[in-house]
Amino acid sequence: MKNKIFLFGEWLPMSYIQYTKKLALVDCNSFYVSCERLFNPKIRKKPVVVLSNNDGCIVSRSTEAKALGIKMGEPYFKAKDIIIKNDVQVFSSNYSLYGDLSRRVMRTLKRFNSDIEVYSIDEAFMDLSNFSDNEVEQVGREIRETVLKWTGIPTSIGIAKTKTLSKVANHIAKKKQSGVTSLIGIENLDPILEKIDINDVWGVGRQMTKFYQKNGIYNAKQLKNKSNTWIKKSSNVLSSRTAMELRGVPCIDLEKTESKRKSCVVSRSFGKRIEKFQELEEAVASYCLNASEKIRSENLVAKAVMVFVRTSPFQKQFGFYSNSRTVDFPIATNNSIEIVKNALSVLKVIFRKGHRYQKAGVMLTGLTDAENNENLFSSAKDERINRLMRSIDNTNYRYGRSTLSLASAGVRKSWSMKRDYNSKIDTADFYCLPTIRA
DNA sequence: TCTGGGGTCCTAGGACCC
DNA sequence: TCTGGGGTCCTAGGACCC
C-alpha cells in the first residue's frame, strides 16, 4: 500500500492529497468522418457516415448525419433508406488512414505537454496541472486551435479534476461553439451533473444503467451523492471509483507510459457465409499470420492460441453455433508456422459440418517479452526460425502485406470482407500519392 | 440478403493442496 | 456409516471502453 492513502473508505493514490490535478480530455469530433473530409472537400457540409469492417455497422457520423436520426452502431442495411433519401455520403473504414492521422494529432498534443495518455485512436488525456485555474480554459482553446491548424482535425476538450469529470466536461464541450469546457474552480458541480444522464457517465454501461435506474439513480448527481458502501456492496470497486471521481477525488491515474498488451485478437466477419472447412482453414491461417506478425513487431511471444468460429447470432432460423478452443504452447512463441499449425489442429475439433459460418478469429494470449523467453530448450534451430520470420516481416513491410505467406492461408480468399465504399486514400502508401500531369 | 473489431479488468466458481 | 476448512490458482464469462 505504498503510494496510497486511506480516505473516504477507499485506498487512494497519494497524489490526491499532494495537489489537485487538472486533467484534459481531448477528443476528436466524428474522427473517421473528419479524416475522410480532410481529403475530400466536397463532403465538408454534407451528411457523412463511415462503416465498420465488412460494411456492417455505422461507426462514425457527421453532425448532419446525426441530425437525420442515424444511430451509432446501427446496421448499415437498416439505415439504407434514410441514407439514400438524404444523399448521405458513405465510406468503408480505412484504418491505415485513420491511424496515420491519429499519430499526427497525438504528436501535436505532445508539443504542449509530453505527459499525455493516448487513450484510444481519437482520444487523449493530458495533464495541465502546471497551469493556473484561470489559465487552463484558454490553454484548452490554444490546443484546440493548434490541432485544427496543423492536422485539420476538429476536437473537443474537457478539463476537470478527474478523468471521469473531464469526460463530463468533454460531453458539454461537444455541444459548444468554442469546443472547450473547464470545470476547474467550480465549487458546486451538482447543477451540471444533474443534467448528465446516468448512461452518459464514463464507466456506466448498459447493465449498470438498468440497475441504477431500478434504484432511482437517473443522473450523475444522484450517483455522486449515493453512499460508497451501497455502491460497492451492490456492484464492484470500479463503480465506486466512478462515484469517487464524480466527487472530484482522482482514483484513475494518468497512464503516461504505454504498457505492453496482454493479448492480441485478429477476427473478421466473412464477406459471405462459409460452409467449407477448407475456406475456414484459410481464414484462420491468415488471421494467425496477421496476429503473429503483430506480436513479433512488438517483440512479444504468446503462451497460447485460442481459435473460435461462429454462425450469425441474428439468423436464428439456421440455428446458432459458436465454439472455441485453446492450445497451450510448450514454450511461448511468435513463430507463424507453429501458431498456424496449432490453430488449425484445434479448428478441426470445433468445426461442425452443415453450418453457415459468419465469423472466425484467433486470439494470442499470455503475451510476454520475447527477450525473457530464453530457456533450456532454446537451440540453433530457434535462431534459424527467428531469422526466417524476420525476413518474411521485412519483405512484407517493403512489398505489402502477404507478399510472403503460407500456402494454408489461401490465395483466392473468397471469404474476405466487403469494403465497397473505400475512399482509397492511404497517406502511408507511396502509390496512393496524387499525381499531377504537366 | 445484409448486424464490427480489439482491448482491459473483475468476479464467481472449480480444481487442487494441505 | 460418519467425510473439514481454508488457502491459492486458474478459467470462463460478463461488463466496460473506444
Side-chain angles (χ1 to χ4, degrees), chain A residues 74-207:
Chain A
E74 193 173 18
Y76 172 47
F77 73 92
K78 282 191 183 171
K80 228 167 185 166
D81 280 350
I82 309 181
I83 286 175
I84 293 169
K85 206 181 289 168
N86 296 281
D87 191 29
V88 178
Q89 307 295 302
V90 179
F91 292 88
S92 299
S93 40
N94 180 348
Y95 288 104
S96 62
L97 172 67
Y98 310 151
D100 187 40
L101 292 173
S102 170
R103 280 185 292 275
R104 292 189 201 181
V105 170
M106 301 307 168
R107 259 203 312 271
T108 309
L109 295 180
K110 281 182 191 163
R111 300 278 292 241
F112 287 88
N113 187 343
S114 53
D115 275 355
I116 81 167
E117 174 188 341
V118 177
Y119 181 68
S120 74
I121 193 162
D122 69 337
E123 273 174 75
F125 288 103
M126 298 177 79
D127 192 336
L128 301 182
S129 305
N130 46 339
F131 295 100
S132 76
D133 284 13
N134 359 332
E135 273 178 320
V136 86
E137 187 155 346
Q138 180 52 33
V139 172
R141 278 197 285 272
E142 271 169 43
I143 294 173
R144 189 178 186 282
E145 274 159 35
T146 310
V147 172
L148 187 62
K149 203 189 295 170
W150 291 9
T151 69
I153 301 291
T155 54
S156 300
I157 302 184
I159 307 162
K161 287 202 277 188
T162 68
K163 280 184 167 180
T164 306
L165 284 174
S166 71
K167 277 271 179 186
V168 169
N170 196 283
H171 192 80
I172 298 164
K174 279 244 142 58
K175 296 172 192 157
K176 284 204 326 204
Q177 181 70 31
S178 71
V180 181
T181 297
S182 165
L183 303 181
I184 297 291
I186 300 175
E187 274 299 304
N188 181 13
L189 290 177
D190 278 2
I192 291 165
L193 295 179
E194 196 165 19
K195 291 191 200 118
I196 306 291
D197 284 344
I198 190 67
N199 61 308
D200 288 330
V201 174
W202 192 45
V204 179
R206 270 231 297 282
Q207 300 307 312

Side-chain angles (χ1 to χ4, degrees), chain A residues 26 37 51 97 138 142 157 203 244 285 294 305 352 399:
Chain A
V26 183
R37 278 181 168 167
L51 305 179
L97 172 67
Q138 180 52 33
E142 271 169 43
I157 302 184
M244 292 298 281
K294 247 194 241 175
V305 59
R352 301 276 181 282
Y399 301 104

Side-chain angles (χ1 to χ4, degrees), chain A residues 417-430:
Chain A
M417 67 181 184
K418 272 200 294 199
R419 277 177 105 190
D420 291 345
Y421 312 99
N422 196 335
S423 55
K424 306 218 173 54
I425 300 158
D426 189 346
T427 48
D429 187 345
F430 184 77

Side-chain angles (χ1 to χ4, degrees), chain A residues 274-283 347 351 408 410 415:
Chain A
I274 285 185
E275 293 184 54
K276 289 201 202 92
F277 179 70
Q278 197 213 327
E279 287 184 307
L280 219 46
E281 208 173 24
E282 286 179 15
L347 177 64
F351 176 77
S408 52
W415 38 266

Side-chain angles (χ1 to χ4, degrees), chain A residues 139-360:
Chain A
V139 172
R141 278 197 285 272
E142 271 169 43
I143 294 173
R144 189 178 186 282
E145 274 159 35
T146 310
V147 172
L148 187 62
K149 203 189 295 170
W150 291 9
T151 69
I153 301 291
T155 54
S156 300
I157 302 184
I159 307 162
K161 287 202 277 188
T162 68
K163 280 184 167 180
T164 306
L165 284 174
S166 71
K167 277 271 179 186
V168 169
N170 196 283
H171 192 80
I172 298 164
K174 279 244 142 58
K175 296 172 192 157
K176 284 204 326 204
Q177 181 70 31
S178 71
V180 181
T181 297
S182 165
L183 303 181
I184 297 291
I186 300 175
E187 274 299 304
N188 181 13
L189 290 177
D190 278 2
I192 291 165
L193 295 179
E194 196 165 19
K195 291 191 200 118
I196 306 291
D197 284 344
I198 190 67
N199 61 308
D200 288 330
V201 174
W202 192 45
V204 179
R206 270 231 297 282
Q207 300 307 312
M208 284 312 291
T209 296
K210 258 193 259 170
F211 172 78
Y212 284 143
Q213 288 178 344
K214 215 181 287 172
N215 289 277
I217 300 170
Y218 299 96
N219 59 48
K221 176 192 153 191
Q222 290 171 320
L223 180 61
K224 186 202 125 190
N225 292 333
K226 200 82 189 171
S227 95
N228 238 29
T229 344
W230 180 83
I231 296 170
K232 218 188 267 182
K233 203 175 63 200
S234 45
S235 176
N236 57 29
V237 284
L238 297 180
S239 306
S240 82
R241 237 171 254 171
T242 298
M244 292 298 281
E245 288 238 332
L246 287 175
R247 289 170 208 145
V249 182
C251 299
I252 309 168
D253 278 333
L254 206 65
E255 281 171 42
K256 296 164 206 162
T257 51
E258 53 221 87
S259 49
K260 294 228 172 187
R261 63 158 111 210
K262 291 159 187 169
S263 64
C264 174
V265 175
V266 174
S267 73
R268 293 281 179 282
S269 300
F270 305 125
K272 61 174 180 81
R273 301 289 183 258
I274 285 185
E275 293 184 54
K276 289 201 202 92
F277 179 70
Q278 197 213 327
E279 287 184 307
L280 219 46
E281 208 173 24
E282 286 179 15
V284 167
S286 61
Y287 301 163
C288 284
L289 292 180
N290 234 317
S292 36
E293 186 192 318
K294 247 194 241 175
I295 68 165
R296 280 198 299 274
S297 76
E298 293 167 36
N299 213 7
L300 297 166
V301 287
K303 286 203 176 74
V305 59
M306 189 270 272
V307 181
F308 73 88
V309 293
R310 64 160 218 215
T311 61
S312 169
F314 300 102
Q315 295 178 331
K316 302 213 172 65
Q317 70 271 34
F318 298 113
F320 179 59
Y321 175 69
S322 164
N323 208 344
S324 72
R325 197 71 116 226
T326 304
V327 211
D328 291 317
F329 300 118
I331 300 163
T333 184
N334 57 23
N335 171 357
S336 299
I337 299 165
E338 199 182 341
I339 291 170
V340 169
K341 200 178 70 193
N342 281 280
L344 293 185
S345 77
V346 286
L347 177 64
K348 281 200 187 77
V349 180
I350 56 177
F351 176 77
R352 301 276 181 282
K353 223 174 151 311
H355 287 301
R356 301 170 75 245
Y357 292 95
Q358 178 248 354
K359 185 175 184 173

